[in-house]
């Protein structure tokens, strides 16, 4: 199975040729236990999305569930998550929703190209682009460097991803204790998990993968991985375990 990965906080850690983190560790364990070979590679997040869309990636992981991605693959939820508004404390103003953020007419927002938190998120990005207030970056660390320099005022991202990225890159580790996380009305809790490609995988492959990942989730493998890598305070506000795993209803019979 071809599984390209993009740097995603402590969920996917890329250091030169080495790939580690929550999901690479899980995939390695599953390869050993389930006799399923996952071929891992590293690409930027935007390229990963394009590869999955065009059938050059068999699996997209981790991925927040969206209607756009549902057209491309079969989804299995592994955890619940949500994005939040993130800023450096001394630079930020309390914000409750997208409208209030737009009212800060000089505020710049930076996001990772290829990250997707649903239709309201995408519509908001389009509005920011119209106002020339949006910057796309290749990865979370690049976004963190913009916040540190003052070139951007906010980002929209899952706190676990952002905090994990800050924690492991010495160029931005000094931000760790200065960050503020604000929930926004439009960014609700959603599902994060794994997509299996409709283009590149057979029905038999999808059914086998469904069984493998459901078994991993029910055994607690996914949540234990998050607990090993992430501090409790970051998980509390942005990631929750799936107590009862359910399929998306998309998996073919």
């Amino acid at each position: 199975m071809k599984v390209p990965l993009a740097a995603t906080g402590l969920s996917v850690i890329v250091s030169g040729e080495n790939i580690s983190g929550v999901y690479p560790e899980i995939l390695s364990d599953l390869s050993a236990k389930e006799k399923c070979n996952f071929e891992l590679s590293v690409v930027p997040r935007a390229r990963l999305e394009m590869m999955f869309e065009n059938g050059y990636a068999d699996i997209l992981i981790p991925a927040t569930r969206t209607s756009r991605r549902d057209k491309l693959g079969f989804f299995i939820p592994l955890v619940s998550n949500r994005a939040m508004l993130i800023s450096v404390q001394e630079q930020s103003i309390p914000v409750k929703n997208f409208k209030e953020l737009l009212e800060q007419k000089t505020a710049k927002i930076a996001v990772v190209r290829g990250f997707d938190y649903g239709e309201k998120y995408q519509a908001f990005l389009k509005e920011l682009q119209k106002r020339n207030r949006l910057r796309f970056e290749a990865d979370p660390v690049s976004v963190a460097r913009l916040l540190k320099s003052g070139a951007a005022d906010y980002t929209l991202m899952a706190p676990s991803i952002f905090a994990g990225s800050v924690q492991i890159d010495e160029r931005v580790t000094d931000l760790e204790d200065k960050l503020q996380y604000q929930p926004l009305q439009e960014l609700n809790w959603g599902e994060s998990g794994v997509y299996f490609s409709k283009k590149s995988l057979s029905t038999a492959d999808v059914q086998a993968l469904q069984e493998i990942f459901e078994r991993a989730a029910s055994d607690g493998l996914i949540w234990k991985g998050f607990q090993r890598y992430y501090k409790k305070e970051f998980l509390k506000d942005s990631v929750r375990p799936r107590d009862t795993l359910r399929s998306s209803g998309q998996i073919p019979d």
Side-chain angles (χ1 to χ4, degrees):
M1 298 294 169
K2 297 177 182 177
V3 190
L5 299 168
T8 313
L10 299 177
S11 294
V12 179
I13 304 169
V14 178
S15 178
E17 298 296 321
N18 297 320
I19 311 172
S20 59
V22 177
Y23 287 103
E25 184 177 292
I26 289 168
L27 292 169
S28 177
D29 288 347
L30 293 179
S31 290
K33 292 178 182 178
E34 305 288 350
K35 297 180 180 180
C36 181
N37 184 29
F38 297 106
E39 297 180 1
L40 308 185
S41 59
V42 177
V43 298
R45 184 69 197 198
R47 187 186 305 171
L48 171 54
E49 294 282 341
M50 290 180 63
M51 291 175 70
F52 188 73
E53 182 175 351
N54 292 296
Y56 297 114
D58 297 321
I59 293 175
L60 181 64
I61 187 171
T64 298
R65 187 179 188 184
T66 67
S67 58
R68 183 187 67 83
R69 288 171 178 160
D70 281 347
K71 297 175 183 177
L72 305 173
F74 301 106
F75 180 75
I76 292 293
L78 301 176
V79 295
S80 295
N81 76 340
R82 67 172 173 178
M84 298 177 76
L85 184 68
I86 305 173
S87 56
V88 178
Q89 290 173 354
E90 59 264 26
Q91 298 174 357
S92 64
I93 299 172
V95 176
K96 297 178 182 177
N97 51 47
F98 288 159
K99 179 177 179 293
E100 291 185 359
L101 193 52
L102 285 175
E103 288 172 352
Q104 293 187 36
K105 296 182 180 180
T106 61
K108 300 283 187 179
I109 291 86
V111 298
V112 174
R113 189 183 299 276
F115 278 14
D116 191 349
Y117 296 103
E119 294 177 0
K120 291 181 180 179
Y121 170 85
Q122 291 295 342
F124 182 60
L125 296 193
K126 289 180 181 178
E127 185 61 35
L128 288 171
Q129 281 184 297
K130 291 178 184 177
R131 303 179 185 215
N132 196 30
R133 292 174 50 191
L134 182 66
R135 288 190 60 167
F136 285 106
E137 294 295 328
D139 53 62
V141 170
S142 298
V143 171
R145 295 182 72 183
L146 289 181
L147 262 64
K148 180 177 178 177
S149 70
D153 302 287
Y154 300 98
T155 186
L156 295 166
M157 201 181 303
S160 56
I161 293 175
F162 193 76
S165 301
V166 167
Q167 184 178 330
I168 60 177
D169 194 296
E170 61 183 13
R171 293 171 295 181
V172 289
T173 50
D174 57 333
L175 284 181
E176 187 173 0
D177 297 326
K178 301 176 182 177
L179 297 173
Q180 177 171 301
Y181 304 91
Q182 302 180 63
L184 298 184
Q185 293 173 358
E186 295 88 350
L187 296 176
N188 298 318
W189 286 91
E191 296 173 323
S192 179
V194 55
Y195 275 97
F196 311 131
S197 174
K198 290 181 178 181
K199 282 193 173 183
S200 65
L201 296 175
S202 67
T203 298
D205 286 337
V206 171
Q207 291 173 335
L209 288 167
Q210 178 195 17
E211 292 177 5
I212 288 171
F213 280 90
E214 284 185 342
R215 191 156 49 242
S218 62
D219 289 344
L221 183 63
I222 311 299
W223 187 241
K224 288 175 183 176
F226 274 92
Q227 290 176 311
R228 275 195 301 275
Y229 277 90
Y230 284 101
K231 296 179 180 179
K232 291 181 179 179
E233 56 264 35
F234 296 134
L235 294 179
K236 179 182 67 173
D237 291 328
S238 66
V239 184
R240 294 173 178 171
R242 297 280 310 183
D243 293 329
T244 304
L245 185 67
R246 61 178 180 82
S247 70
S248 66
Q250 294 183 310
I251 303 298
D253 297 325

